[in-house]
Amino acid sequence: MDRPPSSPQRPRRPAPSRTAPAAERPSLADDAQRPGLGARRVASRLLAAVVDARTSLDGLTDRGNGHPEFRKLEGRDQALVRAILLAALRRRGTIEAILGDCLEKALPPGASALRHILHVASAQILFLDVPDSAAVDLAVASAQADPRSARFANLTNAVLRRIARDKEAFLARFDDPALDAPRWLLDRLEAAYGANGARAILHAQRVPAPLDLSCREDPALWAERLGGTLLPTGTVRLGARETGAVDQMPGFAEGAWWVQDAAAALPAHLFGDMAGLRALDACAAPGGKTAQLAVAGARVTALDISASRLRRLRGNLARLGLEAETHEGSIESFTDEEGFDAVLLDAPCSSTGTIRRHPDVPFTKTADEVEKLAGVQERLLRAAAGLVRPGGLLVFSNCSLDPREGEETARRFLAERGEFQLVPVVPAEVPDIEEAVTAEGFLRTTPAMLRKDTAELSGLDGFFAARFRRVT
C-alpha cells in the first residue's frame, strides 16, 4: 500500500552504470534541436558559477556583457534562465533539504554538476510555472549530455519524479525560512535581530521584491498612470517585475522616473531642503541618489571610482534631463577647496539587505568580507568628513543588514571625530516605517518592515543611514 503524502516513500536508488548508451546521450548540438534543453544546461552552468565560483548573477546574466552562453540564447530563454536561477538561489536551502530527503546516500564529492542539474529542475517543479514533465525530462537529458553526470540519469529521473509527485508535502515539511540562509548569514542575523527577527527577515526575502520608482515630479500622477501605489515616503510601488522590460514602460523614455527601492530613496531625503546647496554624492553610480539630489534643487557633484559605472550614471542623468558635475576617482583622493553643504556617502557593502532582488548575495559573500568592507567604509567615511563645510551635513548609508557595517561604523566615527555630532532621524521623516528609527536616532530598515495587503507589495531593502552635522 502506498504511504500517504505526509510520509512520501523514498525511491530505490538504481545501481549506476558507467555510462548511458550513446543513443541516449545528446550532444551539445542537440541543444538547438530539443526545445528548452539549451536553456536548462545554461542555467546549471551559471548556477555553478554563482555557487562554486562566487560570481555575481547580474554579471552573468547581463544581456550585453554576461556569460557568452547566456548571450547566445533567445530573449525568451534568457528570461527563463534568469527566473530559474532566481528561484534556485532564493530557495536553495529548501531545495537542498528536499533533495537530501530523496537520496538514500549523499551525492559523491565529484557530483557537483549533477547537484546543479537537480537544483535547476527542482526550482522549476517547486516554484515556477513549468510543466513537471518538462522539468524532469530536460534534467534527465542534461544529465545524459554531461559525461560527469551521465551515469546518474536514472537517479535524476527517480528523484525528480518523486519531488513532482509529493511537492506540496515537501514544501509543508521544509518550511523554515532559516533553511535558505547559509550558516554564516544566519548566525549574523540572529546575533543582530534575534532568532524571531532573523526568521522574519529571511521569510520576507523569499518573496521577489516589488518594483519601486522615484519620480522626477508628480509621483501621484505616475502611480495612477502605472497602476501602482504611492507610498507615504514618495516612492511609487508596482508589483514584482524580475524579468520584464522596464525600459518599455510608460514614462521611461521621457525620463519621468527611475527604478529605486523605497529604502534606497531614504538617505537623500535626510538632508531636508536642498535648494541651492552644494552637494557631493561620493559613491554615486548608477545615479539614483544623484538624481534625487538634483531634483531637490542641489548643485550636485557625482563621484565614482568606476569609469564604466560613471558612464552609466551620465546616461541615466541624460535620460532624466538632470545635470551633475561628474568626476572619476575615489573619495580618498578627491579634493575640493570650497567644500560641500551636503555629502552623501552610500558606501560599498556586503549588500545583505538586497537579497530579495539579489538572491546570489548569500553565496557570493562571506563573514570575512563583512569585516573587510566595514574597514573600507570607515576609511571612506573619514575622507567624506573632510569635504563637509562647517555647519554642513554628512549622511552615511549602505544596503547591509549587518550592524558591523552600520551602527558600529557610525559609533566609531562619532567617537573619532569630535567635530561631528549625530543629527537623529525622527519618525516623522519616514512615515509608514517609523519602526525603522532606532533608539539612537539611526535609520535601520529590514525586508520585514513596510507591511502591506500582500507579501508581494510589502517590504523594502535592508538599509542603514546615519546623519551627522559638522559643528566646527
Side-chain angles (χ1 to χ4, degrees):
M1 179 180 297
D2 291 339
R3 296 183 184 182
S6 60
S7 181
Q9 186 174 3
R10 295 187 180 186
R12 185 181 299 277
R13 181 177 179 181
S17 59
R18 280 288 178 186
T19 59
E24 296 178 4
R25 295 200 309 273
S27 68
L28 290 174
D30 292 324
D31 286 8
Q33 299 175 9
R34 184 160 187 181
L37 179 57
R40 269 67 173 195
R41 295 185 69 186
V42 170
S44 296
R45 290 165 184 164
L46 298 194
L47 183 60
V50 172
V51 175
D52 299 337
R54 294 170 57 197
T55 307
S56 162
L57 178 60
D58 280 351
L60 290 168
T61 58
D62 184 277
R63 293 186 178 181
N65 300 299
H67 192 282
E69 292 187 35
F70 178 81
R71 286 188 280 117
K72 289 178 183 177
L73 296 174
E74 298 291 335
R76 181 176 178 181
D77 281 341
Q78 287 183 345
L80 174 61
V81 167
R82 184 162 174 81
I84 290 172
L85 292 172
L86 288 169
L89 291 166
R90 188 172 281 126
R91 302 299 297 272
R92 181 167 179 78
T94 299
I95 292 172
E96 186 66 22
I98 292 172
L99 288 172
D101 193 77
C102 291
L103 294 166
E104 291 183 357
K105 296 180 181 179
L107 294 176
S112 61
L114 173 64
R115 186 178 300 278
H116 297 314
I117 290 171
L118 291 172
H119 272 255
V120 163
S122 298
Q124 296 170 72
I125 293 168
L126 295 167
F127 305 115
L128 297 181
D129 186 18
V130 174
D132 293 346
S133 58
V136 174
D137 292 347
L138 290 170
V140 172
S142 294
Q144 291 171 331
D146 190 331
R148 299 166 296 178
S149 306
R151 65 193 179 103
F152 296 109
N154 289 340
L155 175 66
T156 299
N157 182 65
V159 166
L160 293 176
R161 288 192 181 279
R162 181 185 168 197
I163 292 175
R165 183 182 68 243
D166 298 326
K167 68 174 79 174
E168 298 303 327
F170 277 131
L171 290 173
R173 284 179 57 198
F174 298 103
D175 192 37
D176 184 358
L179 285 172
D180 295 317
R183 189 75 244 177
W184 76 266
L185 178 61
L186 180 61
D187 287 346
R188 297 189 76 93
L189 289 177
E190 288 185 338
Y193 302 98
N196 291 337
R199 276 162 176 76
I201 290 171
L202 293 170
H203 188 271
Q205 288 175 340
R206 283 180 163 183
V207 181
L211 180 66
D212 287 347
L213 309 176
S214 291
C215 298
R216 196 175 58 198
E217 56 186 19
D218 207 346
L221 173 65
W222 283 104
E224 181 180 356
R225 286 186 180 179
L226 296 171
T229 301
L230 180 60
L231 301 181
T233 54
T235 289
V236 174
R237 170 156 291 185
L238 309 177
R241 192 185 184 98
E242 293 195 298
T243 58
V246 172
D247 59 0
Q248 300 301 308
M249 292 169 52
F252 178 88
E254 55 265 45
W257 49 260
W258 61 97
V259 176
Q260 186 178 38
D261 186 84
L266 297 176
H269 288 312
L270 298 183
F271 289 110
D273 184 6
M274 296 289 292
L277 298 184
R278 194 161 187 259
L280 172 67
D281 189 356
C283 296
K289 297 176 181 64
T290 302
Q292 285 183 277
L293 297 174
V295 167
R299 295 176 289 127
V300 187
T301 297
L303 176 69
D304 201 273
I305 197 168
S306 168
S308 61
R309 285 170 56 85
L310 204 56
R311 285 195 297 272
R312 182 181 172 193
L313 177 146
R314 294 186 186 110
N316 287 336
L317 291 180
R319 177 180 65 83
L320 296 169
L322 299 172
E323 294 183 357
E325 181 180 331
T326 60
H327 291 274
E328 178 187 342
S330 169
I331 191 172
E332 292 182 279
S333 59
F334 180 74
T335 59
D336 185 278
E337 294 183 1
E338 187 178 350
F340 295 90
D341 303 297
V343 174
L344 173 60
L345 175 65
D346 188 47
C349 69
S350 62
S351 303
T352 51
T354 69
I355 292 173
R356 296 182 310 155
R357 63 187 77 251
H358 300 295
D360 56 315
V361 165
F363 310 102
T364 57
K365 299 293 194 301
T366 66
D368 289 342
E369 284 188 73
V370 170
E371 187 65 36
K372 179 181 177 180
L373 286 162
V376 172
Q377 292 157 18
E378 290 178 4
R379 294 201 314 270
L380 298 180
L381 192 49
R382 293 188 194 102
L387 296 167
V388 182
R389 292 172 174 170
L393 290 175
L394 169 62
V395 171
F396 164 65
S397 65
N398 61 57
C399 57
S400 171
L401 285 166
D402 202 294
R404 178 65 186 91
E405 298 179 88
E407 290 87 343
E408 291 183 27
T409 296
R411 292 179 195 129
R412 292 186 187 199
F413 174 77
L414 285 169
E416 178 184 292
R417 303 296 292 257
E419 74 272 30
F420 282 87
Q421 292 181 353
L422 181 71
V423 182
V425 180
V426 298
E429 294 180 274
V430 285
D432 219 19
I433 47 172
E434 291 87 352
E435 62 184 309
V437 178
T438 73
E440 289 176 89
F442 298 136
L443 182 69
R444 163 61 73 192
T445 66
T446 80
M449 295 178 181
L450 197 61
R451 290 171 286 276
K452 297 298 179 182
D453 293 338
T454 66
E456 290 74 19
L457 291 176
S458 299
L460 70 172
D461 283 355
F463 238 85
F464 173 84
R467 179 173 53 194
F468 312 104
R469 185 179 299 281
R470 183 174 178 179
V471 293
T472 59

